[in-house]
Amino acid sequence: MEIDGGCLCGHITYQAQIDPETVAVCHCTDCQTLSGSAFRTFVPVLEGSFELTGAAPRTYTKTAENGNRRVLAFCPECGTHIYSAPEQPGQGYTGLRSATARQRDRLPPKAQYWCQSAQPWAMNLAALEQVAKE
């Protein structure tokens, strides 16, 4: 599936080819901290299937709990997180933040990872009061 998207302010834009069956939720503590929420949604993008079409992001390299070094890319203007990628090309996938895609309504998660770190309340959001708009 072809998707496109970008950051909140429009400074960074992208196009990508993804498999919507691979969209997932990550409950690791890094994703919780970076998102300011209980989890983050992402979709793995194979090398060569992702292209920045706007400005270049700012990056920060983080060593994850599992020892992998990942480059985290975000907008230098509005701070929107766009993706994470392996430090060296060819060492894994780009984790595109699926909520930044214009087609996010068609990208429901199919799996959850790092559930040992999940906030207990985040595993049953359907039980919470739902307000349509505020």
Side-chain angles (χ1 to χ4, degrees):
M1 170 181 185
E2 191 166 315
I3 62 170
D4 64 300
C7 65
L8 184 63
C9 72
H11 188 69
I12 294 178
T13 56
Y14 65 81
Q15 295 178 334
Q17 188 69 34
I18 60 134
D19 178 353
E21 296 300 311
T22 62
V23 177
V25 168
C26 183
H27 293 280
C28 79
T29 56
D30 284 349
C31 282
Q32 289 177 31
T33 301
L34 286 165
S35 70
S37 186
F39 53 83
R40 181 194 316 245
T41 58
F42 73 97
V43 62
V45 180
L46 300 177
E47 196 169 320
S49 298
F50 173 73
E51 177 186 6
L52 288 169
T53 56
R58 185 159 181 203
T59 61
Y60 169 75
T61 302
K62 169 78 169 91
T63 302
E65 184 179 327
N66 63 9
N68 292 336
R69 290 180 54 83
R70 300 281 292 174
V71 176
L72 308 174
F74 57 95
C75 176
E77 300 297 323
C78 68
T80 302
H81 292 242
I82 304 295
Y83 66 87
S84 69
E87 191 173 40
Q88 300 297 323
Q91 293 184 342
Y93 63 87
T94 294
L96 183 59
R97 307 316 182 203
S98 56
T100 65
R102 285 189 322 107
Q103 300 80 4
R104 62 185 160 267
D105 62 324
R106 295 185 296 179
L107 302 175
K110 306 293 185 183
Q112 298 184 71
Y113 298 105
W114 286 94
C115 291
Q116 69 187 22
S117 306
Q119 297 301 311
W121 57 265
M123 301 309 270
N124 188 14
L125 296 177
L128 301 177
E129 176 186 1
Q130 296 183 15
V131 179
K133 196 174 192 180
E134 186 152 312

